Amino acid sequence: MYTETILYIILAGIVALLLALFQYKFKVKSMSKQYMLFAFLRFITIFSVLLLLINPKFEQLKLTSEKPKLLVAVDNSNSIVQLKQDENAKQAIQSIRDHAALNEKFNIEYYTFGNTLNATDSVSFTEKQTDISSALEALQDIYKDDVAPTILITDGNQTFGSDYEFSSYNQPVYPIILGDTTTYVDLSIRQLNVNKYAYLKNKFPVETILVYNGKEPVNTTFSVTTGKQTVFTKHITFNSTNNSEVLQFTLPANHVGLSTYNAHLQPLETEKNKANNTKNFAVEVIDETMNIAIVSTYYHPDLGMLKKSIESNEQRKVSILKPNEIKSKLNDFHLVILYQPNNQFKFIFDAIKTENKNVFIIAGNQTDWFFLNEQTNAYEHDITPQTEIYQGVFNTNYSTFIVDDLDFESFPPLQSTFGEISFFTPAEILLFKKYGSLTTEEPLLATLETNGRREALLLGENIWQWRAQSYINEKSFQTFDNFIGKLVQYLASTQRKTRLIVDFESFYEGVNSVVLKAQFFNKNYEFDGRETLQIQVKNNETGEETALPFVLKNNNYQVDLSHLPAATYDFTVRATNENISKTGRFTILEYNVEQQFLNANVSKLNVLANKTSGTSYFSNSYDSVFNELISNKKYSSIQKSTKTTQGLIDWRYVLGIIVFCLSLEWFLRKYNGLT
């Protein structure tokens, strides 16, 4: 409490005493006990009123000590078991828990990682993938404002994601390396590249990279089999200098459908890890291709992007043509994409109407809307000279075909002519326009179907930026190419629409999730979210059958079959309330990338430790990291002071005292006959 406030309180006491004495002592020559009581009550009343006016306060300083954080991130992937380091990892975790000095100095927080980062200290070493870089990025987001040295318990082997050696993690990292630097003699199939699709009666290329770790010359045999038939074989010799070989060969595609193959590199007797000597792959053989034409009067980056994206599916071929170049061969194409049409496209629109062909129209700043409005009775766009940029917002109720949200709102905006569009036939909006922070009901991408002819309309150019942004988001073009592929498949398909559609891959890698999607339509071909779909899955190797329900998610039904072991499965999807079903077959390939490692990746962990000003240790000497952390003065407790200001008095109690004193004084005066 300030000195000034204390002086005010003393002065208030003196003033209250003088006023009380003046009011009673001045009127009488001598003070009786009765008047002394009255004076005392009046003093208390006046002093309390003055105390309320002064409202004295005092400050309280509270000191707290905050310990630095210590993060313990444990690799929970299957490679730890493969290297027989699971017990060492558990022992390291227990040692951290039991270390009294370490726990006294730090607030220790435990995490595990595999595919993702999880806040737990429970380890099972069952994760099928390892992304160390993603785990470090997540920790950095959580503790960006804290001092948080990190103990990384791992073998350093990463199966996907960005290279953690170049991570920008800003906390010191102290790796406890699970494994050793011993080099074992090993043969492995490092990589196998093959297209997903092949054409009937053709040959499809296969490329594989074979690697040898060792010094002595060895002989081995590489072979590819399908079923009991060997379709390719080659004898190979490796030595210390010639320790890798790239094989390129072709295999025949003789049967329509899915064909599975087994690539095998004959292991050596002394090999420690034989799991990396085998890879399974599959190819779907098709007996037709799809020809697509992109027609434009000028060149634009969108044209090359569309060609690249569509041709990512090997069964599709794209030709970029001028309007006059397609005139004589329009019927050679399953789908025509018209890029920013103008009056030079007149004969193409006439032919499309005559042939009732499907079309994908992309409009932008160069589109002639006077012309385009005349060519269609399905819609009409306002004609203005103004242009605008719009972002896309995914319509979760879109049900024409199964499509996922690619986080379209993170994509760059597209340029388009400003104005509204009016549809005269039913249209399904896949993407809404978003202007700034305002999401409108106007379409950016829509599909419509009239008289059996399908059409898609994209109101924006520079879609090439979307594919680039998708790669930044996903580190792959595949997600965006699948989106374009589904749109093209819908437009190019001439099959009658069925009420039950099942979307699935012919084969799945064992490390990836196995999710089947389905859509069900009522008799008016409108998406029906009230139906109950069931799937019956049969393992063709064991005969075991599994029945599971689909779960409704946004505009489609989904079922997760990731728990199924590697095998070929036949399935039947049934609508419970309707006599409608769909059958198919898929294969889960047996492949565990975590079993491909022979030892720890010591070099990368050392680089990470040095880059972040940490130190790496092996699992047999991790006690040293505890001593380093305890003795490091950079990791000291921080003393924080908290200053709070509180009132010295509670006004409610003081007010009660005032009322009590005044009431008692009034009552006693009346009782004694005083005015």
Side-chain angles (χ1 to χ4, degrees):
M1 189 162 50
Y2 297 111
T3 304
E4 183 180 346
T5 304
I6 296 174
L7 291 175
Y8 282 141
I9 294 173
I10 295 173
L11 183 60
I14 294 172
V15 172
L17 181 61
L18 291 175
L19 287 174
L21 291 175
F22 174 78
Q23 290 177 345
Y24 283 99
K25 179 69 175 173
F26 179 75
K27 295 181 179 181
V28 295
K29 295 182 179 180
S30 62
M31 289 285 288
S32 64
K33 291 182 179 180
Q34 186 181 39
Y35 278 95
M36 289 179 65
L37 176 60
F38 291 155
F40 175 73
L41 292 174
R42 184 62 57 88
F43 165 76
I44 295 298
T45 300
I46 297 171
F47 181 72
S48 298
V49 171
L50 294 174
L51 204 60
L52 282 177
L53 294 174
I54 297 171
N55 189 22
K57 297 178 180 179
F58 68 95
E59 292 183 346
Q60 185 177 15
L61 187 65
K62 185 178 180 181
L63 299 178
T64 58
S65 181
E66 183 176 299
K67 295 191 290 186
K69 292 181 174 62
L70 175 62
L71 310 182
V72 179
V74 186
D75 190 339
N76 197 33
S77 65
N78 189 245
S79 65
I80 304 300
V81 177
Q82 176 68 21
L83 297 179
K84 299 180 181 179
Q85 294 293 319
D86 47 324
E87 290 302 322
N88 288 338
K90 292 178 181 178
Q91 186 177 354
I93 297 170
Q94 191 61 45
S95 297
I96 295 172
R97 289 198 195 102
D98 296 340
H99 202 288
L102 201 63
N103 283 269
E104 182 179 352
K105 181 173 182 177
F106 293 95
N107 284 326
I108 304 178
E109 299 184 10
Y110 295 88
Y111 292 87
T112 63
F113 63 88
N115 284 313
T116 57
L117 184 73
N118 300 292
T120 178
D121 61 353
S122 176
V123 289
S124 58
F125 306 112
T126 56
E127 296 273 356
K128 294 182 179 180
Q129 294 270 34
T130 309
D131 189 352
I132 298 175
S133 178
S134 176
L136 293 176
E137 288 177 5
L139 289 174
Q140 181 157 300
D141 290 340
I142 299 171
Y143 300 99
K144 58 183 177 182
D145 298 324
D146 296 313
V147 176
T150 305
I151 296 178
L152 190 65
I153 305 176
T154 180
D155 57 11
N157 294 313
Q158 179 169 296
T159 58
F160 77 106
S162 303
D163 194 338
Y164 67 89
E165 184 178 358
F166 305 104
S167 171
S168 58
Y169 193 60
N170 58 9
Q171 304 284 1
V173 178
Y174 297 87
I176 295 179
I177 303 172
L178 301 174
D180 54 42
T181 58
T182 304
T183 300
Y184 298 96
V185 175
D186 182 63
L187 290 171
S188 64
I189 302 176
R190 181 63 54 85
Q191 189 170 338
L192 193 147
N193 302 317
V194 63
N195 294 328
K196 288 185 176 182
Y197 301 96
Y199 304 126
L200 184 65
K201 304 301 181 182
N202 285 346
K203 291 186 176 183
F204 59 91
V206 180
E207 180 185 67
T208 183
I209 302 174
L210 310 178
V211 176
Y212 167 64
N213 287 327
K215 297 180 179 179
E216 300 297 326
V218 295
N219 295 313
T220 185
T221 301
F222 174 79
S223 61
V224 178
T225 59
T226 176
K228 296 182 180 180
Q229 181 183 5
T230 301
V231 292
F232 179 82
T233 183
K234 184 175 181 180
H235 298 287
I236 303 170
T237 300
F238 290 112
N239 53 48
S240 58
T241 56
N242 181 29
N243 57 6
S244 66
E245 184 159 344
V246 178
L247 295 183
Q248 295 177 332
F249 54 94
T250 58
L251 298 177
N254 296 326
H255 305 285
V256 174
L258 184 70
S259 298
T260 59
Y261 298 86
N262 176 270
H264 182 69
L265 186 62
Q266 184 66 35
L268 305 174
E269 293 183 1
T270 56
E271 276 195 70
K272 182 179 180 181
N273 181 13
K274 299 181 181 180
N276 57 11
N277 291 62
T278 301
K279 278 187 182 291
N280 293 317
F281 64 98
V283 174
E284 187 172 359
V285 180
I286 55 179
D287 60 357
E288 66 177 79
T289 186
M290 186 181 295
N291 291 319
I292 298 166
I294 301 176
V295 185
S296 176
T297 57
Y298 69 102
Y299 293 109
H300 191 281
D302 286 351
L303 307 181
M305 183 283 297
L306 287 169
K307 178 177 173 66
K308 192 74 174 177
S309 181
I310 295 171
E311 288 186 344
S312 64
N313 186 329
E314 292 294 328
Q315 60 181 320
R316 296 174 184 147
K317 298 297 180 184
V318 176
S319 300
I320 300 177
L321 305 170
K322 298 286 187 181
N324 61 326
E325 295 175 337
I326 196 176
K327 190 171 185 178
S328 61
K329 45 187 177 183
L330 184 63
N331 289 328
D332 294 341
F333 299 100
H334 297 84
L335 172 65
V336 179
I337 300 175
L338 304 181
Y339 190 80
Q340 305 214 40
N342 52 38
N343 56 11
Q344 298 183 44
F345 289 69
K346 180 67 170 65
F347 75 91
I348 300 178
F349 278 95
D350 293 340
I352 287 173
K353 293 174 185 177
T354 303
E355 301 292 336
N356 205 35
K357 294 182 73 68
N358 297 345
V359 65
F360 181 14
I361 297 176
I362 301 176
N365 296 338
Q366 305 299 320
T367 301
D368 185 349
W369 277 107
F370 286 102
F371 167 77
L372 193 54
N373 286 341
E374 292 178 355
Q375 300 305 312
T376 178
N377 297 321
Y379 50 83
E380 183 176 349
H381 194 283
D382 291 344
I383 298 176
T384 64
Q386 184 179 348
T387 60
E388 193 53 83
I389 57 173
Y390 298 99
Q391 284 184 291
V393 177
F394 181 69
N395 179 14
T396 56
N397 295 319
Y398 183 82
S399 59
T400 302
F401 55 90
I402 298 175
V403 61
D404 296 321
D405 185 4
L406 308 186
D407 192 16
F408 288 99
E409 292 188 58
S410 72
F411 288 5
L414 303 184
Q415 290 188 337
S416 177
T417 303
F418 179 77
E420 295 185 359
I421 187 170
S422 302
F423 286 97
F424 306 124
T425 59
E428 284 270 1
I429 299 176
L430 200 159
L431 297 176
F432 292 109
K433 286 181 178 179
K434 182 178 181 182
Y435 177 73
S437 60
L438 176 65
T439 300
T440 70
E441 296 297 319
E442 289 293 309
L444 182 64
L445 175 59
T447 58
L448 53 154
E449 195 166 343
T450 55
N451 300 324
R453 185 174 72 86
R454 295 175 178 177
E455 182 175 340
L457 180 63
L458 175 63
L459 299 173
E461 62 179 79
N462 293 330
I463 193 176
W464 66 269
Q465 296 179 1
W466 283 14
R467 190 171 189 255
Q469 184 64 45
S470 176
Y471 183 85
I472 294 173
N473 293 349
E474 303 287 339
K475 303 298 185 292
S476 170
F477 293 117
Q478 182 177 353
T479 304
F480 182 82
D481 291 346
N482 287 343
F483 166 72
I484 295 294
K486 288 182 178 181
L487 183 61
V488 169
Q489 182 65 37
Y490 163 75
L491 293 171
S493 175
T494 57
Q495 297 179 357
R496 181 177 178 272
K497 191 173 184 180
T498 61
R499 293 179 59 191
L500 178 60
I501 298 174
V502 181
D503 183 21
F504 67 99
E505 299 288 340
S506 298
F507 56 92
Y508 298 88
E509 293 284 357
V511 295
N512 298 328
S513 58
V514 182
V515 178
L516 276 66
K517 299 179 181 180
Q519 284 184 309
F520 184 80
F521 300 89
N522 60 24
K523 293 181 180 179
N524 293 325
Y525 294 103
E526 299 170 333
F527 179 74
D528 188 352
R530 299 168 298 174
E531 184 57 68
T532 301
L533 299 183
Q534 295 277 346
I535 185 170
Q536 187 82 18
V537 182
K538 180 181 178 181
N539 187 321
N540 290 345
E541 297 177 7
T542 64
E544 182 180 356
E545 296 188 2
T546 304
L548 291 170
F550 278 80
V551 177
L552 182 63
K553 185 176 180 181
N554 294 331
N555 63 332
N556 59 74
Y557 295 86
Q558 297 184 10
V559 62
D560 191 345
L561 304 177
S562 302
H563 64 282
L564 296 177
T568 299
Y569 294 88
D570 289 329
F571 70 86
T572 302
V573 177
R574 290 187 175 87
T576 304
N577 300 323
E578 301 271 1
N579 187 24
I580 299 175
S581 63
K582 199 82 171 181
T583 61
R585 172 178 290 188
F586 64 87
T587 300
I588 301 177
L589 302 177
E590 185 174 3
Y591 178 68
N592 186 350
V593 68
E594 294 289 338
Q595 294 180 356
Q596 308 304 306
F597 303 110
L598 288 170
N599 44 36
N601 197 330
V602 179
S603 60
K604 284 192 176 183
L605 290 174
N606 285 335
V607 170
L608 177 65
N610 294 332
K611 186 177 178 181
T612 58
S613 301
T615 311
S616 58
Y617 298 88
F618 284 96
S619 57
N620 57 0
S621 61
Y622 55 75
D623 284 341
S624 300
V625 71
F626 303 158
N627 298 330
E628 181 175 346
L629 288 168
I630 293 169
S631 60
N632 196 321
K633 294 182 179 180
K634 291 193 300 183
Y635 313 133
S636 301
S637 296
I638 301 173
Q639 191 175 67
K640 293 185 177 181
S641 60
T642 306
K643 183 184 289 187
T644 57
T645 302
Q646 295 181 346
L648 183 63
I649 60 173
D650 190 326
W651 65 269
R652 290 169 296 186
Y653 293 119
V654 176
L655 189 61
I657 292 172
I658 293 172
V659 173
F660 173 76
C661 290
L662 288 175
S663 300
L664 181 60
E665 182 183 353
W666 177 84
F667 176 77
L668 291 176
R669 288 176 65 87
K670 289 295 183 183
Y671 182 80
N672 290 284
L674 300 174
T675 59

